[in-house]
Amino acid sequence: MNTNDFVIFTGNSNTELVDEICRELNVHKGDIVVSHFNDGEISIDIRESVRGKNVFVIQPTSSPVNDNLMELLIIIDALKRASAGKVNAVIPYYGYARQDRKVRAREPITAKLVANLITKAGAQRMVALDLHAGQIQGYFDIPVDHLTAVPFLAHYFAENHKELKPETTVAVSPDLGGVTRTRSFANRLHNVPIAIIEKRRPKANVSEVMNVIGNIEGKDCVLVDDIVDTAGTICKAAKALKEYGANKVYACATHGVLSDPAVERIEESVIEKFIITNSIALPPEKNIDKIEMVSVAPLLADAITRINSNNSISEMFD
């Protein structure tokens, strides 16, 4: 790969992930300083030429979501004004994705608003990882490459949790909306069967389990989700599976938001191990024994390589 025609920049959201991606690609991270003025406004100082270059800005818009989103937008704007050839926004975690439609009167569709902001700032391509709702791709008027970490999670279980035998393991979707994701995970984990938890959500971050669809009695179960925020849903689901006769319960998710009191809930839950990716940085105080992390740096590095050389992204998942 010609490493002279593209460069990678990032803000402060997840520098460890970006450093790992740069090591995968054998490139240096772009020279940029992202700081704040005394009044809290974000200051950007790009210290190398980007004229005519293919630029990738890697920035999850995780907590603090508004700061990280503004860093992303200002970096994109600065790069466009510096005559970058093409600006690609690589967003491993897309904040505001759960506000993707109107459920009640007078609600915003913030996922669409954020898409408009990123496009207006000057991004010419967006790369995302396991968007909460697939239709968010259509909110952008620029190309979107939608990657998935499901194969990485399934491979991690197959390699690191060999106690999960194909004949006694069931992949479980914690809701009806996650069935496609869970089926993909199950197919890659020795084609194990799936089960579905039927629930209702009376309000945000609150869920109630109503029924378990599928045979999980005496089986080891793996809950598969995209986002775990307060961990209330995943922990209640794990408890319900045990009550319905499951043997051991594991869980995995692409994005470990882990807002309070998520870590405490996971620690006290019946979940044996909870696997997340490093799409969101995990602070040391949240790094408990039950939580294991798998890196998506190789996945994102591969996507960047393919985009830079105009090769197919879909072939990554064939």
Side-chain angles (χ1 to χ4, degrees):
M1 176 175 48
N2 183 0
T3 59
N4 296 319
D5 61 352
F6 87 101
V7 62
I8 290 175
F9 289 103
T10 185
N12 296 315
S13 178
N14 194 343
T15 55
E16 290 184 3
L17 172 61
V18 179
D19 289 342
E20 193 173 341
I21 291 170
C22 288
R23 287 194 295 270
E24 289 280 339
L25 293 168
N26 194 28
V27 299
H28 294 290
K29 188 166 59 177
D31 192 0
I32 184 173
V33 176
V34 182
S35 57
H36 292 82
F37 294 106
N38 288 340
D39 64 354
E41 293 179 1
I42 294 167
S43 171
I44 302 292
D45 183 12
I46 299 171
R47 298 180 172 181
E48 65 178 90
S49 174
V50 296
R51 185 175 297 272
K53 292 187 176 182
N54 199 14
V55 179
F56 295 85
V57 184
I58 307 174
Q59 175 86 338
T61 52
S62 49
S63 180
V65 59
N66 297 329
D67 285 352
N68 289 328
L69 176 59
M70 282 304 300
E71 285 185 8
L72 173 65
L73 297 175
I74 295 171
I75 292 171
I76 292 171
D77 179 75
L79 291 168
K80 288 299 294 182
R81 294 177 187 276
S83 300
K86 187 175 183 179
V87 179
N88 306 272
V90 182
I91 309 177
Y93 172 72
Y94 186 89
Y96 288 110
R98 286 172 285 180
Q99 298 181 34
D100 63 304
R101 65 194 184 281
K102 287 184 68 172
V103 178
R104 292 179 291 271
R106 296 173 295 280
E107 278 193 323
I109 304 179
T110 321
K112 169 60 175 170
L113 172 61
V114 170
N116 289 345
L117 291 170
I118 293 170
T119 304
K120 189 65 176 178
Q124 292 155 282
R125 176 181 294 273
M126 203 274 276
V127 181
L129 179 65
D130 283 324
L131 291 167
H132 183 63
Q135 66 263 25
I136 292 174
Q137 297 171 79
Y139 296 174
F140 286 82
D141 294 324
I142 56 177
V144 176
D145 291 309
H146 188 201
L147 312 178
T148 178
V150 167
F152 276 70
L153 292 169
H155 178 75
Y156 184 88
F157 271 99
E159 292 297 315
N160 296 277
H161 290 282
K162 297 186 184 296
E163 68 273 19
L164 295 172
K165 307 299 181 184
E167 61 274 10
T168 58
T169 300
V170 178
V172 182
S173 174
D175 53 41
L176 296 171
V179 172
T180 301
R181 180 187 313 110
T182 303
R183 170 56 65 195
S184 175
F185 178 90
N187 289 345
R188 293 177 182 272
L189 189 67
H190 311 300
N191 289 307
V192 302
I194 71 167
I196 306 165
I197 293 179
E198 183 186 11
K199 68 180 184 184
R200 70 184 185 96
R201 190 182 291 277
K203 58 182 180 180
N205 289 330
V206 176
S207 65
E208 296 177 0
V209 175
M210 299 170 62
N211 190 25
V212 176
I213 305 169
N215 178 25
I216 55 105
E217 188 172 355
K219 306 287 188 179
D220 292 324
C221 296
V222 182
L223 284 156
V224 184
D225 212 343
D226 61 334
I227 299 173
V228 171
D229 188 351
T230 62
T233 296
I234 207 83
C235 291
K236 285 181 181 177
K239 182 181 178 182
L241 291 173
K242 293 287 282 189
E243 291 173 350
Y244 275 78
N247 182 26
K248 292 183 178 180
V249 179
Y250 298 77
C252 65
T254 300
H255 308 297
V257 177
L258 304 183
S259 305
D260 289 335
V263 173
E264 182 181 352
R265 284 175 171 170
I266 293 168
E267 184 68 68
E268 296 175 354
S269 73
V270 299
I271 295 173
E272 300 286 331
K273 290 290 183 180
F274 177 53
I275 317 301
I276 56 175
T277 80
N278 59 345
S279 66
I280 298 173
L282 184 68
E285 64 272 16
K286 294 184 179 181
N287 191 8
I288 61 174
D289 289 341
K290 277 193 176 183
I291 295 178
E292 298 178 1
M293 182 171 285
V294 56
S295 178
V296 290
L299 172 67
L300 294 170
D302 190 9
I304 289 170
T305 300
R306 290 170 179 270
I307 292 167
N308 188 56
S309 56
N310 291 317
N311 289 324
S312 171
I313 292 291
S314 62
E315 288 179 358
M316 295 170 59
F317 305 105
D318 288 343

